[in-house]
Amino acid sequence: MNKRNAVALVLIIVSLVCLYPGLTKPIIQINIGAQLPLIGEFTLFERTQSVVESIQSLFETDNDLVAWLILIFSIIVPITKAVILLAVLAFKKLPGRKALYRFVGLIGKWSMADVFVVGILLAFLATGENESIRAELYEGFNYFLAYCIISILAIQVMDVNTDDLVQ
């Protein structure tokens, strides 16, 4: 294994290490409240959830389509991408190796979609126009962002000589 692929292997492993807390630790907190005379600040709604908890909540409230989309793009795609990259690195004579590497390149573009969605949601909720709605990012977001960036970097670092690839 050449140096670039050794670095790619380490990056893939580190990305997976970041993915787990990115999915299980709280990602965002949403707080809706009001400032009432004599009472002061009053919280009407407060929720802090991880990606996994959000998927469970969506299934429980019959929002199956959204739950499946988040499940596919936040959990299944990242794990599938990592497994395919590890297989491409480990098995030089893997049938369809070139096609698998190209496939990962295509789905790798979707890695940042979840990060952008959370960013847009946060921007919408925390614009400052309405003081009664607040949103705050938590550590799960940072881990998931780290996963996305590191996994994209791993794909860029990989050196898969197309002459070695099985057609």
Side-chain angles (χ1 to χ4, degrees):
M1 181 179 292
N2 65 33
K3 288 180 183 179
R4 286 183 65 159
N5 287 345
V7 169
L9 177 63
V10 170
L11 289 172
I12 293 166
I13 293 168
V14 170
S15 74
L16 287 172
V17 168
C18 290
L19 180 62
Y20 181 76
L23 296 173
T24 59
K25 290 192 175 287
I27 195 165
I28 192 169
Q29 178 185 52
I30 298 171
N31 186 310
I32 301 172
Q35 190 73 12
L36 302 174
L38 301 174
I39 297 175
E41 189 171 324
F42 181 72
T43 300
L44 299 169
F45 175 83
E46 182 176 17
R47 177 163 287 168
T48 304
Q49 283 188 320
S50 68
V51 172
V52 172
E53 290 169 338
S54 297
I55 293 168
Q56 290 170 340
S57 294
L58 287 165
F59 276 125
E60 289 168 2
T61 58
D62 294 326
N63 290 302
D64 293 351
L65 176 62
V66 178
W68 277 110
L69 288 172
I70 295 171
L71 177 67
I72 290 167
F73 289 105
S74 297
I75 298 175
I76 295 172
V77 168
I79 292 170
T80 302
K81 186 170 79 168
V83 169
I84 291 171
L85 286 175
L86 291 171
V88 167
L89 280 174
F91 304 108
K92 292 232 182 232
K93 297 193 190 273
L94 181 69
R97 186 173 182 238
K98 185 176 184 178
L100 288 172
Y101 183 71
R102 286 186 187 153
F103 175 71
V104 169
L106 289 173
I107 64 172
K109 296 173 185 175
W110 292 95
S111 297
M112 292 295 287
D114 295 325
V115 173
F116 288 127
V117 168
V118 171
I120 290 168
L121 177 65
L122 182 68
F124 176 74
L125 294 174
T127 58
E129 291 181 21
N130 190 342
E131 294 177 9
S132 62
I133 300 175
R134 290 190 311 268
E136 183 180 344
L137 292 176
Y138 275 54
E139 64 184 318
F141 178 82
N142 296 328
Y143 279 110
F144 195 81
L145 177 62
Y147 154 76
C148 292
I149 292 169
I150 294 167
S151 69
I152 290 170
L153 186 59
I155 294 170
Q156 298 300 313
V157 169
M158 274 182 76
D159 180 23
V160 181
N161 184 349
T162 54
D163 295 333
D164 290 342
L165 296 177
V166 177
Q167 300 274 340

